[in-house]
Amino acid sequence: NAGVTQTPKFQVLKTGQSMTLQCAQDMNHNSMYWYRQDPGMGLRLIYYSASEGTTDKGEVPNGYNVSRLNKREFSLRLESAAPSQTSVYFCASSEDGQGTQHFGDGTRLSIL
Amino acid sequence: GENVEQHPSTLSVQEGDSAVIKCTYSDSASNYFPWYKQELGKGPQLIIDIRSNVGEKKDQRIAVTLNKTAKHFSLHITETQPEDSAVYFCAASVDYKLSFGAGTTVTVRA
């Protein structure tokens, strides 16, 4: 049982390039989330999907788009990467909005 | 939105001693308070959580207390062991949206 799987694990981009981060969960969870983690800060919510077919903005959505492809998969897209988006990105899933969130091991993204 | 403050930012304890981390939150509507442990290169892992209708919860060496009136909650680790060394995050939630504290780096000295 893999839980939450994120790909890729590492990526280096140049300013202005685009990139899609992939996330898949095998726990049959309804809700999925994208966070970013910066040094000295906790995780901040970028977007979430309460259920298949819905997405909503979190605390820091600017510069990102998301797609809930199906119940298992939730992707995060950077259309025109900026150095300020250098961060570690975590995907999470939960059974519903009140449930425990389970995290993947992250994607470490550097933008030069 | 919700604002969660966490103290201390670093904590060094002797093996076998207790560790206490404290958090405060701002939104009185928050009703779910998880604690996560993060090891280097890994994602956060839930270690214990508490809901707003409960004042205290314990799981072996780990306990969490919640004071809704004062809007603060705490993590207590007793009989610390080297494997307890990690970064710990508190969080508060209102319907899907988890707001995290900035984290506490705990070092257990042998």
Side-chain angles (χ1 to χ4, degrees):
Chain A
N1 192 345
V4 177
T5 302
Q6 293 184 235
T7 55
K9 295 188 186 304
F10 302 92
Q11 185 69 49
V12 178
L13 294 178
K14 295 181 179 179
T15 298
Q17 288 185 316
S18 62
M19 172 76 187
T20 298
L21 308 185
Q22 307 287 352
C23 175
Q25 52 93 8
D26 62 4
M27 295 174 282
N28 200 36
H29 284 167
N30 291 304
S31 305
M32 297 186 73
Y33 313 81
W34 277 105
Y35 293 86
R36 61 178 288 172
Q37 183 177 33
D38 300 298
M41 303 180 71
L43 286 76
R44 291 182 292 168
L45 182 64
I46 304 171
Y47 271 93
Y48 68 100
S49 171
S51 61
E52 187 178 356
T54 70
T55 60
D56 285 286
K57 294 178 180 179
E59 182 185 353
V60 288
N62 291 346
Y64 305 95
N65 287 300
V66 290
S67 295
R68 184 73 183 268
L69 304 171
N70 48 55
K71 191 171 185 179
R72 290 187 63 248
E73 298 173 289
F74 188 38
S75 63
L76 178 73
R77 184 163 177 83
L78 289 70
E79 290 290 352
S80 180
S84 61
Q85 294 178 305
T86 293
S87 189
V88 182
Y89 291 85
F90 288 98
C91 177
S93 70
S94 65
E95 189 171 343
D96 55 36
Q98 301 297 319
T100 300
Q101 292 189 21
H102 300 265
F103 286 81
D105 283 337
T107 294
R108 284 142 186 87
L109 183 61
S110 293
I111 299 162
L112 307 178
Chain B
E2 175 67 274
N3 181 43
V4 178
E5 295 192 355
Q6 182 173 346
H7 300 280
S9 57
T10 61
L11 182 59
S12 180
V13 297
Q14 191 70 35
E15 183 177 356
D17 287 350
S18 295
V20 180
I21 304 170
K22 299 183 178 182
C23 290
T24 61
Y25 63 98
S26 62
D27 190 343
S28 58
S30 290
N31 54 14
Y32 174 60
F33 306 90
W35 286 87
Y36 286 86
K37 176 182 181 182
Q38 186 176 28
E39 297 177 338
L40 197 61
K42 298 289 188 180
Q45 298 291 315
L46 180 78
I47 55 171
I48 195 167
D49 57 10
I50 191 168
R51 297 195 182 269
S52 57
N53 58 347
V54 176
E56 184 173 355
K57 183 177 179 181
K58 189 174 182 180
D59 182 4
Q60 298 183 345
R61 297 186 296 109
I62 295 173
V64 58
T65 59
L66 171 64
N67 183 327
K68 285 207 69 180
T69 303
K71 295 184 192 170
H72 66 70
F73 55 115
S74 300
L75 177 72
H76 302 251
I77 306 173
T78 59
E79 300 174 12
T80 53
Q81 301 169 3
E83 54 263 38
D84 294 329
S85 295
V87 180
Y88 292 80
F89 292 95
C90 63
S93 174
V94 180
D95 288 337
Y96 300 98
K97 297 181 180 180
L98 268 182
S99 296
F100 283 81
T104 298
T105 300
V106 174
T107 303
V108 180
R109 307 187 307 273

